[in-house]
Amino acid sequence: MPYFVKKEELALELDKHRAQGKTIGFVPTMGALHDGHLSLLRHARECDVVVASIFVNPLQFNNQKDLDQYPRDLKVDREKLEGLCDVLFAPSKEEIYPNSVHLSFNFGALERELEGRFRPGHFNGMAVVVSKFFNIIAPDKAYFGKKDLQQLMIVRQLVSDLNFQIEIIGCPIEREKSGLAMSSRNQRLSKAGNQIATNIFKGLNKGEIAFSDGSNLEDIKTTVTSFYETIEGLDLEYCEIVDEQFNLLKTTPAHGGIAMCVAAKVEGVRLIDNVYLRSQI
Ligand code: AMP
């Protein structure tokens, strides 16, 4: 699998494919690959050429310790990508950020709550790097996981605001057998911590059941939050019910998707997950 660290060399390689009329699918990642990432690559197979990137983007970490502790193993990642991806881009920090960045995005209500509130600067850093990658790679389609639902919605907004000619595909959340959403950060959990973390999805399931029983949103939130409070070792950051514009909901709107989103820490590891209580599609 061809592997590039320089953006100009990657662009030349992709130009060759484009000249042959081939479509390009792009899957951005921060590495420490798991089956969630690999499922995005499988979705991208609908394109002729699948490009993956591995780049731990310092700009989207608002916590230096989280950045330092982020798992990295390029050799293992390259082995996992064999057969699933045609071109790998794994640039250095200097390659992507030769100069300091002054650009600043404002996604309005979309980034006001949840991750935007608890990780100030996170979506700005994400949008900067995604924009740079979109310009370097110029894919036809790019694939993002619904695990990072707010990120997916912000990327869609970014593409619309900046007229990127790229179709954004949202892919389902891949889970462990226990229900725990796959995440690179799960590697940092002990066995006991992993067990505790499985309660994140169990709580969301309680929310789904309460919603299908016709409970109102405030009661659903109380049920789920109270459940999390009983779990020793699970430190809830937020549990919110939102529409697809990421407005907090207190009552059930007549139309549109409704998602329940959670962030919690287990053994100091920050984990997020969500379920759709009502899907638009
Ligand atoms: P990351 O490496 O964490 O930045 O994630 C790269 C991409 O993989 C993002 O689009 C994530 O939403 C997606 N992703 C991460 N975990 C999962 C998962 N469990 N299921 C599906 N997609 C995922």
Side-chain angles (χ1 to χ4, degrees):
M1 171 186 53
Y3 159 47
F4 295 89
V5 291
K6 298 277 176 208
K7 46 187 182 286
E8 288 81 8
E9 291 172 13
L10 172 74
L12 279 177
E13 168 78 6
L14 297 180
D15 279 349
K16 282 190 227 157
H17 291 294
R18 262 188 290 268
Q20 295 169 13
K22 292 187 175 163
T23 55
I24 294 172
F26 173 46
V27 178
T29 83
M30 296 203 298
L33 301 177
H34 49 69
D35 283 348
H37 297 116
L38 303 187
S39 76
L40 301 189
L41 290 160
R42 289 192 186 96
H43 283 281
R45 244 316 134 218
E46 62 182 332
C47 297
D48 299 320
V49 179
V50 176
V51 182
S53 65
I54 295 182
F55 181 65
V56 181
N57 176 30
L59 219 62
Q60 72 187 65
F61 283 79
N62 58 321
N63 178 330
Q64 184 63 36
K65 200 169 152 210
D66 191 25
L67 173 62
D68 295 342
Q69 292 181 340
Y70 202 84
R72 295 166 171 89
D73 194 337
L74 188 57
K75 189 169 171 287
V76 172
D77 283 345
R78 283 178 69 179
E79 285 165 11
K80 288 186 183 164
L81 288 171
E82 236 14 278
L84 283 175
C85 135
D86 305 309
V87 178
L88 171 63
F89 183 43
S92 65
K93 197 171 84 183
E94 292 69 29
E95 182 67 10
I96 296 299
Y97 298 115
N99 307 304
S100 54
V101 174
H102 301 286
L103 180 63
S104 173
F105 291 95
N106 179 349
F107 294 103
L110 261 185
E111 65 172 343
R112 200 165 296 141
E113 302 294 344
L114 313 185
E115 294 301 283
R117 179 186 289 276
F118 282 86
R119 300 185 70 190
H122 167 67
F123 286 127
N124 192 62
M126 180 281 291
V128 168
V129 83
V130 167
S131 303
K132 280 173 174 274
F133 281 10
F134 281 177
N135 279 323
I136 295 166
I137 295 165
D140 298 279
K141 297 186 181 187
Y143 299 79
F144 290 83
K146 290 184 183 169
K147 170 161 172 288
D148 300 277
L149 190 61
Q150 199 171 9
Q151 165 175 286
L152 170 65
M153 299 308 179
I154 287 178
V155 170
R156 288 194 196 284
Q157 186 68 49
L158 177 76
V159 163
S160 159
D161 286 350
L162 294 183
N163 295 98
F164 282 113
Q165 296 303 304
I166 300 169
E167 188 182 345
I168 302 301
I169 312 285
C171 303
I173 303 176
E174 293 292 318
R175 300 182 177 281
E176 311 279 355
K177 275 204 188 78
S178 63
L180 175 64
M182 289 182 183
S183 165
S184 304
R185 290 186 168 85
N186 293 354
Q187 284 187 25
R188 288 172 48 206
L189 296 171
S190 70
K191 213 171 159 204
N194 187 293
Q195 187 58 39
I196 294 167
T198 61
N199 288 294
I200 296 174
F201 188 51
K202 288 192 184 126
L204 290 172
N205 288 158
K206 288 183 189 297
E208 286 177 303
I209 292 167
F211 184 78
S212 61
D213 286 348
S215 300
N216 70 53
L217 299 189
E218 288 290 350
D219 287 349
I220 296 172
K221 216 175 110 172
T222 307
T223 304
V224 177
T225 306
S226 312
F227 168 72
Y228 288 137
E229 280 166 4
T230 66
I231 309 297
E232 208 173 315
L234 192 144
D235 187 7
L236 184 67
E237 208 164 72
Y238 63 73
C239 169
E240 298 289 359
I241 301 175
V242 293
D243 63 18
E244 286 187 323
Q245 288 71 48
F246 278 82
N247 297 302
L248 302 186
L249 294 176
K250 287 196 187 321
T251 55
T252 306
H255 309 284
I258 304 176
M260 185 164 209
C261 303
V262 175
K265 279 189 181 159
V266 176
E267 297 178 330
V269 180
R270 190 172 183 283
L271 303 168
I272 60 170
D273 199 354
N274 68 80
V275 293
Y276 266 91
L277 297 180
R278 184 174 76 192
S279 177
Q280 230 177 352
I281 10 158

